[in-house]
Amino acid sequence: MIYLDNHATTPCDPRVAQQMMPWLVEHFGNPHSTSHEMGRQAKSAMDAALASVASQLAVAADAVLITSGATESNNLAIDGVCRHPRQRRRHVVTSTIEHPAVLDVVARLEKDGFRVTRVPVHPQDHPLAGQIDLEPLAAAVDDDTALVSVHWANNEIGVIQPMSQIAALAHQAGALVHSDATQAVGRIAVDLQRVDVDLISASAHKFYGPKGVGLLTTAGGVPRRRVRLKPMIVGGGQQRNLRSGTMAPANVIALATALDLAVAESSQVARRVGELQLRLWDGLQQGIDGICLNGPTLESSMRLEGNLNCRLPGIEGESWMAACSEVAFSSGSACSSVDAKPSHVLTGLGLSESEARRSVRFGIGKFNTSEQIDRAIEILVAGYRSLA
Ligand code: PMP
């Protein structure tokens, strides 16, 4: 199997798994049981890992919350800000192409009486295809806006959003800014001293860490605005009462190790993965007449390296996938493949339902090789020809 679905998840880097292991088996103390040495040992290793995560993102160590992943982080960020008892504002702004872990939280707030604005993105034929349209965004934010939530990078078409501009518009109106940075953290620079976003969400399994652990930052770099969050999970009061439950040192250490490696290797990985992305695209274009790219051009600096979302002439993405079972890639968003509806990201770009159904996503990762890409092209082209 050739794995080309690295936006859905990445394999855990063996160096990360190795760092985790002693904290599962040997040093298994509860980091909140600090009355004895086993607990203190776990706590100090975990605190060091938290400090390292904070410094990679350029926030204070007490601004990092550990969660089960980006879904939980998005829920806590959006519900937490909007449903805090001292929150007076009743309006939320987001984009039309967010992950369901944002859109569904916002839809639930709407049902509960919040006003919601979903700002469109530039259409496929625009030079900024997939980027949020800043004009309606500026018109939408007002002194009733509690939160602007826009993802840093998209999981389907790889478009990177202009977070500094989005944040400046939101802050002018006194709103807080949350960004679902799940596809960005570990892939591109996410420096909260330079980009003034108050809350970001991420999941370790998108940058070669394990599944089931993620983070939410609860303050930006500079300036540090006051973020009041209503906790979702209450109990023992861990993590400053914002997310109760015994923390897992092995997971926190894995997340920190994965982030350190991803940041240290990011430019080298981006270059390699970018080359493989072009190789795949060239091969597909040569083998399949009329195949088109969805989202920004591959030359654009506003597209994640390694992301290829393309549209086939005449054939549904699902059929192509079925004909190419030796390659792992996805139709639609794959994070929600249970959903048979065409991708809201692609229809949000202005594609028709039929065009969206004829689209697939490839996500190239750091463990892919040029031999794998060449073999994948052969399989994909042969699979297409067997259907066309
Ligand atoms: N946001 C984005 C942009 C994602 O790509 C994903 C994962 N597909 C999530 C949120 C949810 O992450 P998790 O499943 O790890 O909670």
Side-chain angles (χ1 to χ4, degrees):
M1 184 71 135
I2 301 172
Y3 186 75
L4 298 181
D5 203 11
N6 285 276
H7 293 295
T9 194
T10 57
C12 188
D13 189 311
R15 294 170 292 178
V16 172
Q18 203 177 19
Q19 288 292 322
M20 262 180 110
M21 205 50 127
W23 299 96
L24 291 169
V25 180
E26 233 175 295
H27 312 301
F28 58 83
N30 182 328
H32 311 290
S33 304
T34 48
S35 56
H36 56 69
E37 185 49 31
M38 297 263 311
R40 285 196 292 273
Q41 185 190 33
K43 179 175 180 346
S44 78
M46 195 174 69
D47 286 348
L50 282 169
S52 154
V53 171
S55 106
Q56 290 291 9
L57 300 171
V59 295
D62 68 354
V64 177
L65 270 182
I66 297 298
T67 64
S68 62
T71 298
E72 183 189 334
S73 301
N74 288 344
N75 273 262
L76 179 56
I78 300 168
D79 265 351
V81 165
C82 294
R83 295 184 195 268
H84 189 278
R86 291 172 70 180
Q87 179 60 264
R88 296 284 166 262
R89 297 176 175 224
R90 283 288 176 273
H91 177 224
V92 183
V93 177
T94 188
S95 87
T96 51
I97 65 164
E98 299 296 312
H99 191 274
V102 166
L103 289 177
D104 288 0
V105 183
V106 167
R108 192 171 57 185
L109 281 168
E110 196 171 31
K111 265 201 191 135
D112 292 345
F114 279 76
R115 190 161 54 92
V116 172
T117 308
R118 297 171 183 85
V119 178
V121 298
H122 291 294
Q124 183 57 52
D125 55 6
H126 191 279
L128 301 175
Q131 282 199 357
I132 192 161
D133 192 338
L134 294 171
E135 254 179 58
L137 176 71
V141 286
D142 59 30
D143 61 7
D144 195 37
T145 310
L147 187 71
V148 173
S149 178
V150 177
H151 58 346
W152 204 296
N154 185 268
N155 52 305
E156 294 187 42
I157 54 173
V159 63
I160 299 168
Q161 299 294 341
M163 284 317 304
S164 291
Q165 285 165 280
I166 294 166
L169 288 172
H171 288 144
Q172 265 168 30
L176 289 170
V177 182
H178 165 247
S179 184
D180 175 358
T182 309
Q183 296 289 341
V185 168
R187 286 204 173 100
I188 56 174
V190 175
D191 177 342
L192 297 180
Q193 290 273 345
R194 289 184 41 225
V195 182
D196 183 14
V197 169
D198 307 295
L199 302 114
I200 66 163
S201 307
S203 263
H205 71 100
K206 306 288 184 176
F207 49 93
Y208 307 95
K211 293 167 194 52
V213 57
L215 64 88
L216 175 67
T217 62
T218 56
V222 177
R224 186 173 172 151
R225 281 179 202 79
R226 177 160 201 150
V227 176
R228 288 197 187 96
L229 286 178
K230 180 178 177 196
M232 291 196 303
I233 301 175
V234 293
Q238 291 89 348
Q239 301 206 66
R240 303 178 295 289
N241 273 320
L242 289 171
R243 205 265 190 181
S244 285
T246 303
M247 295 179 75
N251 288 355
V252 182
I253 288 162
L255 180 123
T257 308
L259 187 56
D260 279 347
L261 290 171
V263 171
E265 296 170 359
S266 67
S267 46
Q268 180 204 335
V269 167
R271 187 165 14 85
R272 265 207 57 234
V273 159
E275 282 163 14
L276 297 179
Q277 174 194 39
L278 285 178
R279 194 179 184 105
L280 178 59
W281 183 229
D282 284 349
L284 292 179
Q285 278 183 300
Q286 275 168 31
I288 302 174
D289 266 355
I291 191 167
C292 305
L293 193 65
N294 294 326
T297 62
L298 294 196
E299 296 74 41
S300 167
S301 59
M302 299 309 272
R303 183 172 193 135
L304 291 175
E305 304 287 358
N307 172 277
L308 198 62
N309 192 308
C310 46
R311 196 160 77 243
L312 294 165
I315 304 270
E316 296 228 334
E318 291 284 346
S319 318
W320 197 28
M321 278 171 52
C324 307
S325 57
E326 288 162 75
V327 183
F329 61 112
S330 70
S331 69
S333 80
C335 307
S336 56
S337 343
V338 276
D339 195 345
K341 286 204 296 275
S343 149
H344 69 286
V345 174
L346 299 178
T347 54
L349 265 182
L351 301 189
S352 67
E353 290 207 356
S354 145
E355 287 171 320
R357 286 190 205 283
R358 286 188 278 111
S359 297
V360 298
R361 174 190 72 178
F362 298 97
I364 297 166
K366 70 174 181 180
F367 292 123
N368 288 128
T369 62
S370 46
E371 291 74 27
Q372 285 181 330
I373 298 296
D374 292 346
R375 179 71 192 123
I377 293 167
E378 281 171 19
I379 298 167
L380 291 163
V381 170
Y384 176 78
R385 290 186 180 157
S386 74
L387 298 165

